[in-house]
Amino acid sequence: MEVSSVHSCGVAGLTLGMLLGSSAPQAHPHHWIDVFTEWQFSPGGLITGVKLRWLFDDYYSVLLVDDAAATGEELQAIQEKILSNTEKHHYFIQAEQKGVKAEFRDAKQARIGVQDHRIEIEFRLPMKAPLDPRQGDIVYRIAEPTYYFEMLHAEKAPAIALKNAPSDCRYHIEPPRPDAALVAYAASLGINESGGEELGIQFAETVTIRCE
């Protein structure tokens, strides 16, 4: 596997190197994001979008707040920077139905706040075309591409919600199962090294939404 010495895919984009200090962990992942997803259904049972909530780890939250204070920026500016830099990576979500990639519009109704000393960002991604879950399972994964950040659904329930879904809709979550060699490879990466943009997805959960 090729290792790059340049990391440019972090959540805060170009500000990431400035924010991270020498006390950060020296193996991937360096930071953690608890993820909450709310899939939104229309009265007719179609999926019209998803609301995502990211809860950053304590250490990264402190870095974001300190950076905002040092630069005189409001947290709103941090939010805009993060969403701008993750847009090109489709906000770190991949969804498909019967092998066809689902497409989302740009983030809407975004907000940023602090919960238990942790930075929290929430936003909605409307579907470009509504999905009919009765035509096939919806399968999605969420990952920061280079695995600099580990993104898993929060242990605190409900981390996944099917809002206004028909009563026969369910979801099933499969934990990531990377092999030992891949885990060791990720652990070998230093703070300024990248294993490429296909690494993170191999550490992602797989969630299936099914409506009978």
Side-chain angles (χ1 to χ4, degrees):
M1 298 182 184
E2 183 178 356
V3 177
S4 169
S5 61
V6 177
H7 188 283
S8 61
C9 190
V11 169
L14 297 177
T15 66
L16 190 56
M18 175 180 65
L19 292 176
L20 295 176
S22 60
S23 59
Q26 295 299 309
H28 282 30
H30 296 272
H31 294 285
W32 292 264
I33 300 174
D34 289 340
V35 177
F36 298 81
T37 58
E38 179 187 276
W39 292 87
Q40 299 173 336
F41 286 70
S42 72
L46 303 181
I47 295 176
T48 58
V50 60
K51 183 165 68 175
L52 294 168
R53 182 157 60 98
W54 298 345
L55 190 60
F56 292 88
D57 67 70
D58 297 63
Y59 179 59
Y60 192 73
S61 295
V62 169
L63 295 175
L64 287 175
V65 171
D66 286 352
D67 181 63
T71 59
E73 290 183 315
E74 299 289 337
L75 285 180
Q76 181 68 27
I78 297 293
Q79 170 198 288
E80 292 170 0
K81 189 180 299 182
I82 288 174
L83 292 180
S84 175
N85 283 308
T86 58
E87 178 185 358
K88 63 182 178 181
H89 299 288
H90 310 291
Y91 306 99
F92 299 155
I93 185 168
Q94 298 180 13
E96 62 178 47
Q97 184 178 41
K98 299 198 300 190
V100 178
K101 179 181 176 182
E103 296 187 359
F104 299 93
R105 300 190 185 277
D106 291 344
K108 307 291 184 185
Q109 302 169 332
R111 69 169 186 85
I112 188 170
V114 179
Q115 177 180 308
D116 297 329
H117 309 290
R118 298 171 64 182
I119 291 291
E120 175 184 66
I121 289 180
E122 181 181 276
F123 55 96
R124 181 176 183 271
L125 298 178
M127 307 297 306
K128 285 190 175 180
L131 297 176
D132 185 350
R134 288 190 172 83
Q135 299 300 314
D137 293 349
I138 311 299
V139 180
Y140 76 91
R141 295 185 290 176
I142 296 174
E144 188 276 304
T146 66
Y147 198 47
Y148 205 94
F149 289 79
E150 181 177 71
M151 302 183 72
L152 298 175
H153 285 88
E155 294 181 2
K156 182 180 179 180
I160 302 174
L162 306 181
K163 185 177 181 181
N164 299 323
S167 59
D168 58 359
C169 293
R170 301 287 186 273
Y171 69 83
H172 175 72
I173 185 167
E174 285 285 342
R177 292 188 173 87
D179 60 36
L182 192 62
V183 173
Y185 170 68
S188 74
L189 296 172
I191 195 169
N192 293 317
E193 295 179 319
S194 170
E197 295 192 0
E198 298 300 323
L199 182 61
I201 201 68
Q202 298 179 73
F203 290 86
E205 299 162 320
T206 301
V207 184
T208 301
I209 299 172
R210 176 174 297 172
C211 299
E212 303 296 343

